[in-house]
Amino acid sequence: MNILLKAAKIVCPENKELHLKKRDILIKNGMIEKMAASIEAPANTKSINLKNLHVSVGWFDSGVSFGEPGFEERETIANGLRVAASSGFTDILLYPSTHPVPDTSSDVVFLKERGLGKPTNIHPMGALTKNSEGVDLAELFDMKNAGAVAFFDFKKQVSNPNLLKIALLYAQNFDGLVFSFPQDGSIKGTGVAHEGEVSTTLGLKGIPALAEELQVARDLFILEYTGGKLHIPTISTAGSVKLIANAKKKGLDVTCSVAIHNLFFSDGELKGFDTHFKVSPPLRSKADSKALIKGLKDGTIDLVTSDHVPIDIEHKRVEFDNAMDGTLGLESAFGSLNQLLGTKEAIALMTKGRSRFGIENPSFKEGAKANITLFNPDETYTFGQSNILSTSKNSMFLGTELKGKVYGTINKDQIIVHERD
């Protein structure tokens, strides 16, 4: 397929000659053939001329759930990857949140095969323990060889510290990356919201910051003892930021991420008992959100993630205590992050992180594979049902003013581009 992007402003800080320059970009057979101030469209070439078109290398998300296999009513892999492409993502890490959980090499192969031919690259994680039950390690080495990029018991703590110790020691033999969810279940108990003034006022059982920070501190102590590579996904408290900053000063090989909704919202949103705002870890205080943003800016927090978790209506339209945790995040990721931090920071964060998981970084130059996101960073709008492309509709961003719309992606010689309402 031949494509000509007209008058596209290139956002690529690492290439000073192209950064913030308007160029026509000719793509032939999935490769960037030419970039120039003006290019005449060759025969059999699709020209794309969109309002205020900006382009960057394709975006990356380190934490996405779909549903297949087991929860296809929430989301299939095929539609989920199309949603990701339409939302600007050319690479996503797939959480091991299915039924059964992917804890063998054949499970990982199945997920990769389901992603073949789709517009977004899928990089599966494998479960850290068998059935994600936290008892015995899963087939980590075999899953790594089959294509698993990391190991994670989705949204579950590693209760047994010796198990985490063994996992970190064992994974060093094949450069494996271990995830550890930052929440102590014993301290969380039956909590459903951040422990603070809001939860007390509403009569909701609280989840103290201690539940996260104690787990993070424990995991970092174990990492210091074992060595190895640890990733702590979706931290949510100011205390966690400080703990990880200190660990990095010691030279520990630890990275962490934060969910975009934990930057954008605080626990004050719970006053309407809207279950769309029930997530794990929970929305925290405004002070925590400010500390998380500061941690992003100073490099303590390595990655942002949509933490996209589709949930069917039957598990959301219930009492707050009984609702399942999770919100959609792919469709709103750019608009919310761009509004919060500005385009320069948003694009820098959304294009980084691949190397941590052994994924090749795309490049923006002539002769490179076209791995490109197309967007308009200046358009403001109210996020509504028409913006949700997922099968499930559980987005906490509904009714929120956002800035920046995504046109789509060009990747794997496929183009997913459209103008949204």
Side-chain angles (χ1 to χ4, degrees), residues 44 87 122 293 314:
N44 301 317
S87 303
I122 187 171
I293 292 171
E314 287 82 2

Side-chain angles (χ1 to χ4, degrees), residues 106-316:
S106 59
D107 296 328
V108 174
V109 169
F110 167 81
L111 294 170
K112 289 182 70 68
E113 288 180 345
R114 296 293 285 172
L116 292 175
K118 303 301 187 295
T120 293
N121 304 314
I122 187 171
H123 305 281
M125 299 185 211
L128 182 65
T129 63
K130 293 179 181 178
N131 298 316
S132 289
E133 292 175 346
V135 178
D136 299 307
L137 285 184
E139 300 174 3
L140 306 188
F141 179 65
D142 289 346
M143 286 192 289
K144 170 82 170 181
N145 288 339
V149 296
F151 309 103
F152 181 34
D153 286 345
F154 175 67
K155 303 286 185 178
K156 293 181 179 180
Q157 69 171 109
V158 182
S159 300
N160 183 345
N162 191 54
L163 189 67
L164 180 64
K165 182 197 78 174
I166 293 170
L168 285 166
L169 288 169
Y170 175 56
Q172 291 178 57
N173 293 303
F174 49 89
D175 198 32
L177 177 62
V178 174
F179 273 50
S180 182
F181 186 59
Q183 193 168 86
D184 185 302
S186 298
I187 293 177
K188 175 198 174 186
T190 56
V192 295
H194 171 62
E195 183 182 83
E197 182 179 338
V198 173
S199 63
T200 302
T201 302
L202 298 178
L204 295 173
K205 295 178 181 177
I207 305 173
L210 178 66
E212 175 169 308
E213 292 158 10
L214 188 65
Q215 189 80 5
V216 170
R218 186 208 73 171
D219 292 351
L220 292 173
F221 269 116
I222 294 172
L223 178 66
E224 187 172 8
Y225 175 79
T226 60
K229 295 164 58 177
L230 179 68
H231 183 77
I232 302 175
T234 61
I235 65 170
S236 67
T237 75
S240 292
V241 177
K242 292 179 181 177
L243 288 165
I244 292 167
N246 290 334
K248 288 187 171 186
K249 288 177 183 176
K250 292 180 180 179
L252 301 186
D253 192 352
V254 59
T255 50
C256 66
S257 67
V258 61
I260 294 171
H261 52 255
N262 280 100
L263 302 171
F264 200 88
F265 294 111
S266 69
D267 60 342
E269 303 294 336
L270 303 183
K271 291 178 181 178
F273 292 97
D274 185 345
T275 59
H276 286 146
F277 292 97
K278 190 183 182 201
V279 288
S280 182
L283 298 178
R284 299 285 185 181
S285 69
K286 289 183 179 179
D288 287 308
S289 296
K290 289 179 181 178
L292 293 167
I293 292 171
K294 184 175 183 293
L296 269 178
K297 291 181 176 181
D298 67 22
T300 300
I301 300 175
D302 303 273
L303 306 172
V304 294
T305 173
S306 70
D307 199 33
H308 181 86
V309 181
I311 302 294
D312 52 274
I313 192 170
E314 287 82 2
H315 289 95
K316 274 295 185 181

Side-chain angles (χ1 to χ4, degrees), residues 347-366:
I347 298 305
L349 288 167
M350 296 176 83
T351 55
K352 71 182 292 192
R354 287 176 172 88
S355 58
R356 179 60 168 172
F357 306 95
I359 301 167
E360 182 181 357
N361 284 308
S363 56
F364 211 121
K365 61 183 180 182
E366 292 179 356

